[in-house]
Amino acid sequence: MTERPYVLLSCAISVDGCLDAPGPQRLILSGKADLDRVDEERAQADAIMVGAGTIRRDDPRLLIRAPERQAARAAAGLPEHPAGVTITASGDLDPGARFFHGPVGLQRLVYCPAPLAPRLENMLNGHAQVIPVAPPARLGAVLTDLTRRGVHRLLVEGGAELGRQFLADGLVDELELAVAPFFVGDPAAPRFAGPATYPHGPGRPMRLAEVRRLDGIVLLKYLLGDGDGQGAGGGEGEPGEGAEATGADWRWLRRAIELSRRCPPSPAAFAVGAVVVAGDGSVLATGYSREGSPQDHAEEAALAKLDPADPRLAGATLYSSLEPCRFRASRPRPCAELIIEAGLRRVVIAWLEPPLFATGGGAGLLREAGVNVVQIPGLAAEARAVNAAVLGEAAAGP
């Protein structure tokens, strides 16, 4: 499989599956709590994609609203706002749209069939980078190009046709549906996931990962893994690697690797991400190295957000892009001990800690305590690549 970003498709819909109402007036489907949820998803994304129709109808800015989230991205060495991406087959775009105007340095990418590129470049006059693709403009080719540009996590916010194409082409890793408590009932209203042949049809269900109440709406989060270890990002390693790992394990470990890219840079410490997932697939906590202070380890940061008495911990899995430490100089308790103390019985990692800053051995200590430790070597290269500057070029491979 060609390498591509991790794709999260986020939509707000009515109970009867409408994305909007017909007519010129936009239908409000979500409230303050859900808008904050979307803002957090934007803050974790490298890029946000919408269709050209969404730009024409909704005129979105696609910026992060919360100043503290902008500041956190800047502290991690990221642009304050993710790149904005759209794809157009007709070139029907308004250069005055808010999508093309924002803070200095804001990156905007427009993919279009090659014959349209010269006209679009002239029309947009430097407000976006126009990227020609061979007609017809396939989403797979766009995602491959985004990966080359450093986009590892892509948030797709709509609209109806773009979402349908992503789902029908099997290019969505995570689906979030915010369901508003009312019906639209108009056959002319644009609908989520129109008629198509979908990979997750009858007999191949998505996995329900989370159900959350956000004021008056319900958030449904699905993982679209098949449970066979297949997913975004390329090959899954040689047969036998991660023999105890499921498709969900691959995806959650990739999420931990994505979090590691948010770590503030350090020449003397690894960049690590961690996710704690309950047995029902809901996320209990996330963390990454140096999240709150220069001494924070990823697993430590995630566990600090949890109530030690939470009964879900006994059935939860901790995903870490690097083997939890057994020895550390910065704080009295290494992460392996914190995991054991928390009562977690399962840990999934991408690669073992190299003896660069401390002796490894965290996986061994966990196993001695009865914790089931699963390594997925097929993701080691991705986790190590985040630490290439610390490891040196010669050590950046798997």
Side-chain angles (χ1 to χ4, degrees):
M1 185 184 296
T2 303
E3 187 176 1
R4 65 169 176 83
Y6 185 96
V7 175
L8 166 62
L9 174 60
S10 179
C11 299
I13 61 174
S14 63
V15 171
D16 54 339
C18 296
L19 293 162
D20 203 347
Q25 187 171 355
R26 184 183 177 190
L27 177 65
I28 303 300
L29 287 158
S30 60
K32 183 178 179 180
D34 186 54
L35 291 175
D36 187 68
R37 188 267 309 176
V38 172
D39 200 51
E40 175 60 26
E41 293 293 357
R42 288 182 176 183
Q44 295 187 31
D46 297 306
I48 307 168
M49 178 184 280
V50 295
T54 298
I55 294 177
R56 289 191 291 268
R57 177 173 175 82
D58 296 341
D59 196 17
R61 299 177 69 217
L62 302 185
L63 302 179
I64 297 170
R65 295 180 174 89
E68 61 272 18
R69 291 178 178 139
Q70 298 176 30
R73 286 177 58 93
L78 301 171
E80 289 188 354
H81 303 279
V85 183
T86 192
I87 180 170
T88 176
S90 66
D92 182 13
L93 291 170
D94 179 2
R98 296 195 301 172
F99 176 85
F100 299 110
H101 302 273
V104 175
L106 187 66
Q107 186 179 27
R108 291 294 185 245
L109 305 175
V110 176
Y111 290 87
C112 70
L116 294 178
R119 179 175 68 84
L120 271 177
E121 287 177 344
N122 182 63
M123 182 179 72
L124 296 175
N125 193 28
H127 290 296
Q129 182 176 358
V130 177
I131 304 166
V133 291
R138 303 287 187 186
L139 286 177
V142 171
L143 294 183
T144 298
D145 186 75
L146 287 172
T147 300
R148 297 193 190 105
R149 297 173 186 274
V151 174
H152 301 287
R153 183 176 179 85
L154 176 67
L155 174 61
V156 179
E157 293 194 8
E161 178 60 19
L162 185 66
R164 184 194 65 79
Q165 289 181 19
F166 264 97
L167 289 164
D169 289 352
L171 297 173
V172 177
D173 299 291
E174 189 174 332
L175 172 64
E176 292 188 352
L177 295 176
V179 184
F182 55 78
F183 297 85
V184 173
D186 192 319
R191 294 183 177 272
F192 166 73
T197 300
Y198 294 103
H200 290 277
R204 300 190 68 191
M206 303 177 294
R207 177 183 175 188
L208 180 62
E210 183 180 357
V211 178
R212 193 193 324 168
R213 180 174 179 174
L214 297 170
D215 294 335
I217 71 169
V218 174
L219 174 69
L220 302 175
K221 180 182 293 188
Y222 295 94
L223 299 179
L224 278 68
D226 296 324
D228 59 1
Q230 298 301 309
E236 307 293 13
E238 297 298 324
E241 288 186 347
E244 301 175 69
T246 66
D249 288 334
W250 283 86
R251 294 180 182 276
W252 286 121
L253 191 53
R254 279 201 173 97
R255 177 71 181 272
I257 294 170
E258 291 163 19
L259 284 168
S260 73
R261 296 187 175 99
R262 301 185 64 186
C263 300
S266 170
F270 293 115
V272 183
V275 184
V276 182
V277 181
D280 63 1
S282 60
V283 176
L284 300 181
T286 64
Y288 55 89
S289 304
R290 301 174 289 285
E291 180 176 0
S293 80
Q295 287 76 41
D296 282 348
H297 284 198
E299 303 92 334
E300 174 186 41
L303 292 174
K305 300 170 185 174
L306 297 171
D307 180 353
D310 191 329
R312 296 175 295 176
L313 287 173
T317 297
L318 185 145
Y319 296 89
S320 179
S321 59
L322 177 67
E323 175 188 25
C325 63
R326 182 170 187 167
F327 305 99
R328 65 184 296 186
S330 58
R331 290 204 173 133
R333 305 290 301 283
C335 291
E337 288 186 8
L338 296 176
I339 292 168
I340 295 167
E341 184 179 85
L344 288 156
R345 310 307 298 163
R346 188 168 186 267
V347 172
V348 179
I349 61 174
W351 61 307
L352 298 175
E353 180 182 11
L356 188 60
F357 305 116
T359 305
L365 181 62
L366 291 169
R367 290 188 177 106
E368 290 170 11
V371 178
N372 180 19
V373 180
V374 178
Q375 185 182 3
I376 304 182
L379 293 178
E382 290 185 35
R384 291 178 66 110
V386 181
N387 292 277
V390 173
L391 293 167
E393 270 190 356

